[in-house]
Amino acid sequence: METFLAPAKINLCLHVLGRRENGYHDLAMLMQRVSLYDRIGISLIEGSAIRVHCGGVVLPSGQQNIAARAAEALFEQAGIRQGLEIAIEKHIPVAAGLGGGSSDAATVLMALNDMLGLDFTPDQLMKVGVKLGADVPFFIFKHPAWATGIGDKLEEVKGLPPVWYVLVNPGLEVSTAWVYQNLRLTTPRDNLRIPRFSGTLDEVVALLYNDLEAVTAERFPLVGEVKQQLIDLGAAGALMSGSGSTVFGVFSDEDRARAAVEKLSVRPGWRAFAVAPVDD
Protein backbone atom coordinates (compact mmCIF):
# COMPACT_ATOMS: atom_id res chain seq x y z
CA MET A 1 0.00 0.00 0.00
CA GLU A 2 1.38 3.40 -0.99
CA THR A 3 0.75 6.31 1.38
CA PHE A 4 0.05 9.92 0.43
CA LEU A 5 -0.49 13.08 2.49
CA ALA A 6 -3.62 15.23 2.07
CA PRO A 7 -3.19 18.71 3.61
CA ALA A 8 -5.85 20.92 5.19
CA LYS A 9 -6.57 24.45 3.98
CA ILE A 10 -7.57 27.74 5.54
CA ASN A 11 -9.34 30.74 4.03
CA LEU A 12 -7.44 33.92 4.82
CA CYS A 13 -10.38 35.82 3.39
CA LEU A 14 -13.76 34.74 2.07
CA HIS A 15 -16.12 37.17 0.35
CA VAL A 16 -19.54 36.01 -0.89
CA LEU A 17 -20.33 38.15 -3.92
CA GLY A 18 -23.76 36.84 -4.83
CA ARG A 19 -25.98 33.83 -5.37
CA ARG A 20 -26.44 32.08 -8.71
CA GLU A 21 -29.75 30.74 -9.99
CA ASN A 22 -28.45 27.17 -9.57
CA GLY A 23 -27.93 27.74 -5.84
CA TYR A 24 -24.15 28.10 -5.94
CA HIS A 25 -22.52 31.31 -4.73
CA ASP A 26 -19.93 33.50 -6.43
CA LEU A 27 -16.92 33.86 -4.16
CA ALA A 28 -13.62 35.71 -3.89
CA MET A 29 -11.23 34.19 -1.39
CA LEU A 30 -7.59 33.60 -0.57
CA MET A 31 -6.83 29.95 0.21
CA GLN A 32 -3.67 28.44 1.65
CA ARG A 33 -2.73 24.82 2.37
CA VAL A 34 -1.31 24.10 5.82
CA SER A 35 0.66 21.28 7.45
CA LEU A 36 -2.16 19.29 9.02
CA TYR A 37 -2.59 16.09 7.01
CA ASP A 38 -4.86 13.14 6.46
CA ARG A 39 -2.92 10.04 5.43
CA ILE A 40 -4.29 8.20 2.39
CA GLY A 41 -3.18 4.62 1.74
CA ILE A 42 -3.94 3.20 -1.71
CA SER A 43 -3.53 -0.38 -2.97
CA LEU A 44 -4.37 -1.70 -6.43
CA ILE A 45 -6.32 -4.97 -6.14
CA GLU A 46 -7.89 -7.56 -8.41
CA GLY A 47 -11.32 -6.88 -9.86
CA SER A 48 -13.13 -3.55 -10.08
CA ALA A 49 -14.42 -2.96 -6.53
CA ILE A 50 -13.42 0.24 -4.74
CA ARG A 51 -13.37 -0.10 -0.96
CA VAL A 52 -12.76 2.78 1.43
CA HIS A 53 -11.89 2.37 5.12
CA CYS A 54 -11.60 5.16 7.64
CA GLY A 55 -11.00 3.85 11.16
CA GLY A 56 -12.54 5.74 14.04
CA VAL A 57 -14.40 8.30 11.91
CA VAL A 58 -17.94 8.00 10.59
CA LEU A 59 -17.73 8.83 6.89
CA PRO A 60 -19.86 7.76 3.94
CA SER A 61 -18.73 4.31 2.85
CA GLY A 62 -18.29 2.66 -0.51
CA GLN A 63 -19.24 4.62 -3.58
CA GLN A 64 -20.75 7.49 -1.58
CA ASN A 65 -17.38 8.42 -0.08
CA ILE A 66 -15.75 11.33 -1.91
CA ALA A 67 -12.44 9.46 -2.16
CA ALA A 68 -14.20 6.55 -3.88
CA ARG A 69 -16.11 8.94 -6.14
CA ALA A 70 -12.81 10.57 -7.09
CA ALA A 71 -11.39 7.21 -8.16
CA GLU A 72 -14.54 6.36 -10.11
CA ALA A 73 -14.50 9.74 -11.87
CA LEU A 74 -10.85 9.35 -12.87
CA PHE A 75 -11.36 5.81 -14.15
CA GLU A 76 -14.36 6.96 -16.18
CA GLN A 77 -12.27 9.77 -17.70
CA ALA A 78 -9.46 7.32 -18.51
CA GLY A 79 -11.80 4.61 -19.79
CA ILE A 80 -10.48 1.95 -17.43
CA ARG A 81 -11.65 -0.16 -14.49
CA GLN A 82 -9.45 -1.01 -11.53
CA GLY A 83 -9.97 -2.45 -8.07
CA LEU A 84 -8.79 -0.34 -5.14
CA GLU A 85 -8.39 -0.40 -1.39
CA ILE A 86 -8.31 3.13 0.06
CA ALA A 87 -7.48 3.56 3.75
CA ILE A 88 -8.01 7.05 5.17
CA GLU A 89 -6.35 7.98 8.44
CA LYS A 90 -8.19 11.16 9.45
CA HIS A 91 -6.37 13.92 11.28
CA ILE A 92 -8.21 16.88 9.74
CA PRO A 93 -11.44 17.49 11.68
CA VAL A 94 -14.61 16.64 9.73
CA ALA A 95 -17.15 19.34 8.71
CA ALA A 96 -14.79 21.94 10.13
CA GLY A 97 -14.02 24.43 7.34
CA LEU A 98 -10.62 22.88 6.57
CA GLY A 99 -11.41 21.09 3.30
CA GLY A 100 -10.46 17.61 4.50
CA GLY A 101 -12.80 15.70 2.20
CA SER A 102 -11.86 17.78 -0.83
CA SER A 103 -8.18 17.31 -0.08
CA ASP A 104 -8.65 13.54 0.24
CA ALA A 105 -10.39 13.47 -3.14
CA ALA A 106 -7.68 15.58 -4.81
CA THR A 107 -4.97 13.39 -3.31
CA VAL A 108 -6.63 10.24 -4.67
CA LEU A 109 -6.85 11.80 -8.15
CA MET A 110 -3.17 12.79 -8.17
CA ALA A 111 -1.98 9.53 -6.62
CA LEU A 112 -3.84 7.29 -9.06
CA ASN A 113 -2.69 9.43 -11.98
CA ASP A 114 0.90 8.67 -10.96
CA MET A 115 0.41 5.04 -9.87
CA LEU A 116 -1.32 4.06 -13.10
CA GLY A 117 0.75 6.25 -15.44
CA LEU A 118 -2.33 7.99 -16.81
CA ASP A 119 -0.43 11.19 -17.69
CA PHE A 120 -3.32 13.58 -17.06
CA THR A 121 -2.12 17.16 -16.66
CA PRO A 122 -3.00 19.13 -13.50
CA ASP A 123 -5.55 21.11 -15.52
CA GLN A 124 -7.21 17.89 -16.67
CA LEU A 125 -7.30 16.57 -13.10
CA MET A 126 -8.79 19.86 -11.91
CA LYS A 127 -11.62 19.51 -14.44
CA VAL A 128 -12.38 16.06 -13.03
CA GLY A 129 -12.07 17.36 -9.48
CA VAL A 130 -14.45 20.31 -9.74
CA LYS A 131 -17.30 17.88 -10.42
CA LEU A 132 -16.62 16.37 -6.98
CA GLY A 133 -16.44 19.65 -5.07
CA ALA A 134 -15.52 23.29 -5.62
CA ASP A 135 -12.43 23.08 -3.37
CA VAL A 136 -10.93 20.00 -5.03
CA PRO A 137 -9.12 21.90 -7.84
CA PHE A 138 -7.36 24.10 -5.27
CA PHE A 139 -5.63 21.09 -3.71
CA ILE A 140 -4.46 19.95 -7.15
CA PHE A 141 -3.22 23.50 -7.88
CA LYS A 142 -0.75 23.18 -4.97
CA HIS A 143 -0.12 26.90 -4.37
CA PRO A 144 -1.71 29.68 -2.32
CA ALA A 145 -4.49 30.92 -4.56
CA TRP A 146 -6.98 33.70 -5.14
CA ALA A 147 -10.12 31.72 -5.90
CA THR A 148 -13.13 33.15 -7.72
CA GLY A 149 -16.24 31.78 -9.43
CA ILE A 150 -17.56 29.07 -7.11
CA GLY A 151 -13.99 28.73 -5.86
CA ASP A 152 -12.71 26.90 -8.92
CA LYS A 153 -11.00 29.74 -10.82
CA LEU A 154 -7.52 30.00 -9.36
CA GLU A 155 -4.67 32.50 -9.58
CA GLU A 156 -1.42 31.89 -7.72
CA VAL A 157 -0.65 34.33 -4.90
CA LYS A 158 3.02 34.98 -4.13
CA GLY A 159 4.79 36.77 -1.31
CA LEU A 160 2.84 35.41 1.65
CA PRO A 161 5.05 35.59 4.78
CA PRO A 162 6.37 32.50 6.63
CA VAL A 163 3.95 32.86 9.54
CA TRP A 164 2.61 30.08 11.76
CA TYR A 165 -1.06 29.34 12.36
CA VAL A 166 -2.82 27.78 15.30
CA LEU A 167 -5.97 25.90 14.26
CA VAL A 168 -8.58 25.35 16.96
CA ASN A 169 -11.56 23.11 16.41
CA PRO A 170 -14.00 23.27 19.34
CA GLY A 171 -15.66 19.97 18.48
CA LEU A 172 -18.59 21.38 16.48
CA GLU A 173 -19.55 19.96 13.07
CA VAL A 174 -21.04 22.68 10.86
CA SER A 175 -23.04 22.04 7.69
CA THR A 176 -21.73 24.20 4.86
CA ALA A 177 -25.14 24.03 3.16
CA TRP A 178 -26.85 25.30 6.33
CA VAL A 179 -24.45 28.24 6.62
CA TYR A 180 -25.03 29.35 3.03
CA GLN A 181 -28.80 28.93 3.39
CA ASN A 182 -28.76 31.27 6.38
CA LEU A 183 -26.39 33.85 4.88
CA ARG A 184 -27.92 37.29 4.45
CA LEU A 185 -26.18 38.83 1.48
CA THR A 186 -25.47 42.55 1.66
CA THR A 187 -24.60 44.87 -1.21
CA PRO A 188 -22.74 42.91 -3.88
CA ARG A 189 -19.05 43.78 -4.30
CA ASP A 190 -17.37 43.62 -7.66
CA ASN A 191 -14.19 45.59 -6.98
CA LEU A 192 -12.20 42.90 -5.18
CA ARG A 193 -8.80 42.20 -6.67
CA ILE A 194 -6.12 39.60 -6.14
CA PRO A 195 -4.05 40.71 -3.11
CA ARG A 196 -0.35 41.50 -3.35
CA PHE A 197 2.12 40.85 -0.56
CA SER A 198 5.62 41.99 0.34
CA GLY A 199 6.04 39.34 3.03
CA THR A 200 4.87 40.91 6.30
CA LEU A 201 2.60 39.44 8.97
CA ASP A 202 0.62 42.69 9.19
CA GLU A 203 -0.45 42.31 5.56
CA VAL A 204 -1.99 38.92 6.33
CA VAL A 205 -3.78 40.22 9.42
CA ALA A 206 -5.20 43.19 7.48
CA LEU A 207 -6.69 40.78 4.94
CA LEU A 208 -8.55 38.54 7.43
CA TYR A 209 -12.27 38.54 6.62
CA ASN A 210 -15.03 35.94 6.30
CA ASP A 211 -18.63 36.67 5.28
CA LEU A 212 -19.72 33.30 6.71
CA GLU A 213 -18.34 33.87 10.19
CA ALA A 214 -21.27 35.92 11.48
CA VAL A 215 -23.74 33.18 10.46
CA THR A 216 -21.85 30.37 12.18
CA ALA A 217 -20.91 32.45 15.23
CA GLU A 218 -24.53 33.48 15.80
CA ARG A 219 -25.56 29.83 15.93
CA PHE A 220 -22.40 28.71 17.76
CA PRO A 221 -21.09 31.48 20.06
CA LEU A 222 -18.16 29.23 20.93
CA VAL A 223 -16.59 30.41 17.66
CA GLY A 224 -16.25 33.91 19.08
CA GLU A 225 -14.84 32.54 22.31
CA VAL A 226 -12.15 30.64 20.42
CA LYS A 227 -11.18 33.78 18.51
CA GLN A 228 -10.78 35.75 21.73
CA GLN A 229 -8.73 32.95 23.32
CA LEU A 230 -6.32 33.04 20.37
CA ILE A 231 -5.92 36.81 20.59
CA ASP A 232 -5.35 36.57 24.35
CA LEU A 233 -2.59 34.01 23.72
CA GLY A 234 -0.70 36.26 21.34
CA ALA A 235 -2.24 35.82 17.90
CA ALA A 236 -1.85 38.92 15.74
CA GLY A 237 -5.28 38.17 14.27
CA ALA A 238 -7.86 35.38 14.22
CA LEU A 239 -10.58 34.23 11.83
CA MET A 240 -12.98 31.35 11.26
CA SER A 241 -11.98 29.20 8.27
CA GLY A 242 -14.57 28.49 5.60
CA SER A 243 -18.00 27.76 7.05
CA GLY A 244 -16.44 26.76 10.39
CA SER A 245 -16.25 25.74 13.06
CA THR A 246 -12.43 25.78 13.03
CA VAL A 247 -10.83 29.11 13.92
CA PHE A 248 -7.20 29.96 13.23
CA GLY A 249 -4.85 32.48 14.76
CA VAL A 250 -1.86 34.07 13.00
CA PHE A 251 1.42 33.87 14.92
CA SER A 252 4.81 35.32 14.13
CA ASP A 253 6.82 32.19 14.93
CA GLU A 254 6.63 28.50 15.80
CA ASP A 255 7.48 28.86 19.49
CA ARG A 256 4.57 31.21 20.17
CA ALA A 257 2.22 29.02 18.16
CA ARG A 258 3.18 25.86 20.04
CA ALA A 259 2.90 27.61 23.39
CA ALA A 260 -0.66 28.63 22.49
CA VAL A 261 -1.51 25.06 21.43
CA GLU A 262 -0.31 23.73 24.77
CA LYS A 263 -2.69 26.04 26.64
CA LEU A 264 -5.64 25.56 24.30
CA SER A 265 -5.42 21.77 24.23
CA VAL A 266 -6.49 21.48 27.87
CA ARG A 267 -10.01 22.60 26.99
CA PRO A 268 -12.35 19.56 26.90
CA GLY A 269 -13.44 18.78 23.36
CA TRP A 270 -11.08 21.28 21.74
CA ARG A 271 -8.41 20.18 19.26
CA ALA A 272 -5.54 22.58 18.59
CA PHE A 273 -2.77 22.32 16.00
CA ALA A 274 0.30 24.46 15.24
CA VAL A 275 0.78 24.46 11.46
CA ALA A 276 2.90 26.12 8.81
CA PRO A 277 1.98 27.10 5.24
CA VAL A 278 2.49 24.44 2.56
CA ASP A 279 3.55 25.50 -0.92
CA ASP A 280 4.92 22.81 -3.21
Side-chain angles (χ1 to χ4, degrees), residues 31-33 138 140-145 156-157 278-280:
M31 305 170 72
Q32 185 169 45
R33 297 182 304 153
F138 165 72
I140 298 169
F141 189 67
K142 287 191 173 182
H143 297 288
E156 183 178 354
V157 174
V278 174
D279 184 8
D280 57 32

Side-chain angles (χ1 to χ4, degrees), residues 78-273:
I80 63 173
R81 297 183 68 83
Q82 171 67 55
L84 291 178
E85 289 272 2
I86 301 175
I88 303 175
E89 183 181 304
K90 289 295 292 182
H91 297 279
I92 302 171
V94 176
L98 298 174
S102 294
S103 185
D104 293 350
T107 299
V108 167
L109 291 176
M110 292 184 289
L112 289 175
N113 189 48
D114 289 341
M115 292 172 71
L116 297 171
L118 299 178
D119 293 327
F120 286 119
T121 66
D123 283 345
Q124 288 173 315
L125 292 177
M126 288 163 69
K127 288 178 181 177
V128 175
V130 74
K131 298 175 184 177
L132 301 164
D135 285 347
V136 177
F138 165 72
F139 289 102
I140 298 169
F141 189 67
K142 287 191 173 182
H143 297 288
W146 182 244
T148 54
I150 60 172
D152 59 327
K153 298 177 181 177
L154 304 169
E155 298 177 73
E156 183 178 354
V157 174
K158 297 183 178 181
L160 280 164
V163 300
W164 276 74
Y165 301 106
V166 172
L167 312 182
V168 182
N169 182 266
L172 305 170
E173 292 191 12
V174 177
S175 164
T176 299
W178 177 88
V179 173
Y180 277 100
Q181 288 165 5
N182 286 274
L183 175 66
R184 295 180 291 275
L185 290 173
T186 55
T187 304
R189 286 154 292 176
D190 59 5
N191 61 343
L192 294 170
R193 297 290 183 267
I194 182 171
R196 307 291 177 185
F197 295 94
S198 60
T200 69
L201 179 146
D202 289 343
E203 289 173 323
V204 173
V205 174
L207 187 74
L208 299 178
Y209 180 83
N210 186 345
D211 271 325
L212 304 180
E213 185 177 271
V215 180
T216 303
E218 183 178 3
R219 173 67 179 83
F220 301 105
L222 198 54
V223 168
E225 182 181 338
V226 174
K227 284 187 68 176
Q228 188 58 54
Q229 286 279 310
L230 284 163
I231 297 298
D232 291 345
L233 290 170
L239 188 72
M240 186 184 80
S241 183
S243 55
S245 61
T246 301
V247 176
F248 65 89
V250 185
F251 287 79
S252 59
D253 58 71
E254 181 178 2
D255 288 344
R256 294 184 184 186
R258 295 202 182 280
V261 166
E262 187 175 343
K263 293 180 180 179
L264 290 162
S265 295
V266 302
R267 290 288 299 263
W270 288 23
R271 298 173 66 192
F273 312 89

Side-chain angles (χ1 to χ4, degrees), residues 48 50 63 67-77 81 84 112:
S48 59
I50 299 175
Q63 299 306 306
R69 289 193 286 116
E72 284 282 4
L74 188 68
F75 293 163
E76 181 177 351
Q77 186 71 19
R81 297 183 68 83
L84 291 178
L112 289 175

